[in-house]
Amino acid sequence: MQFRDLARLAQLTPRQLRRYEREGLIRPASTDEGEPQYTPQSAPLARRINVLVDLGFTTGEIRTFLDRIDDQPSERYAHVSDLQGRRIAKIDAVISKLKATRAELVGLLVTDEGLDVQDQAAAVRRQ
């Protein structure tokens, strides 16, 4: 499959895909008459890479995930596990802060003296 087909199938812009290629995260399976050719498995890989980028992982961190060849416990696996654990902890912290902010906003709406009981219930449901 050609580059433009991979971009379309992976639902990425050519610019995103070129970046992942430049960073060595995606590689063509072969070069046919100077044109890189990709396997169908490249599309889900490209999407996973994009999700990890969206979650805040650097391309270096992503490369660490991709470089892990087996699931055997090792120093490399421990490093990957540590990266994942730190990212999950950051996400959990953001979720906790958002929940606290939401609870505070709901509390402000519910205690607003200008709202009657039905308005208060509707405000909470909208949250």
Side-chain angles (χ1 to χ4, degrees):
M1 132 180 21
Q2 294 181 344
F3 181 84
R4 67 180 175 275
D5 299 323
L6 175 59
R8 182 182 41 76
L9 190 61
Q11 299 174 341
L12 299 173
T13 66
R15 184 177 182 180
Q16 290 170 306
L17 199 53
R18 285 280 181 228
R19 175 182 174 215
Y20 304 152
E21 188 178 56
R22 190 173 52 251
E23 295 284 339
L25 300 174
I26 296 176
R27 295 184 180 96
S30 65
T31 305
D32 195 24
E33 296 181 21
E35 178 73 27
Q37 297 294 314
Y38 300 86
T39 65
Q41 293 81 9
S42 297
L45 172 63
R47 281 194 300 271
R48 280 192 297 266
I49 291 168
N50 195 57
V51 167
L52 291 170
V53 167
D54 286 347
L55 289 173
F57 287 94
T58 67
T59 53
E61 290 169 332
I62 295 168
R63 192 174 301 103
T64 302
F65 300 138
L66 299 178
D67 287 346
R68 195 178 86 216
I69 295 172
D70 57 35
D71 291 327
Q72 301 300 316
S74 67
E75 249 181 68
R76 176 180 273 176
Y77 183 76
H79 177 67
V80 169
S81 182
D82 183 50
L83 286 173
Q84 291 170 333
R86 285 187 306 203
R87 185 65 59 191
I88 289 169
K90 284 182 180 181
I91 291 169
D92 287 343
V94 170
I95 290 170
S96 293
K97 186 172 182 173
L98 289 171
K99 283 182 176 181
T101 302
R102 182 188 186 282
E104 186 177 342
L105 285 171
V106 168
L108 289 172
L109 288 172
V110 170
T111 59
D112 187 342
E113 294 178 34
L115 296 177
D116 65 18
V117 175
Q118 287 179 335
D119 289 339
Q120 291 174 12
V124 170
R125 280 194 302 273
R126 284 194 299 267
Q127 299 297 318

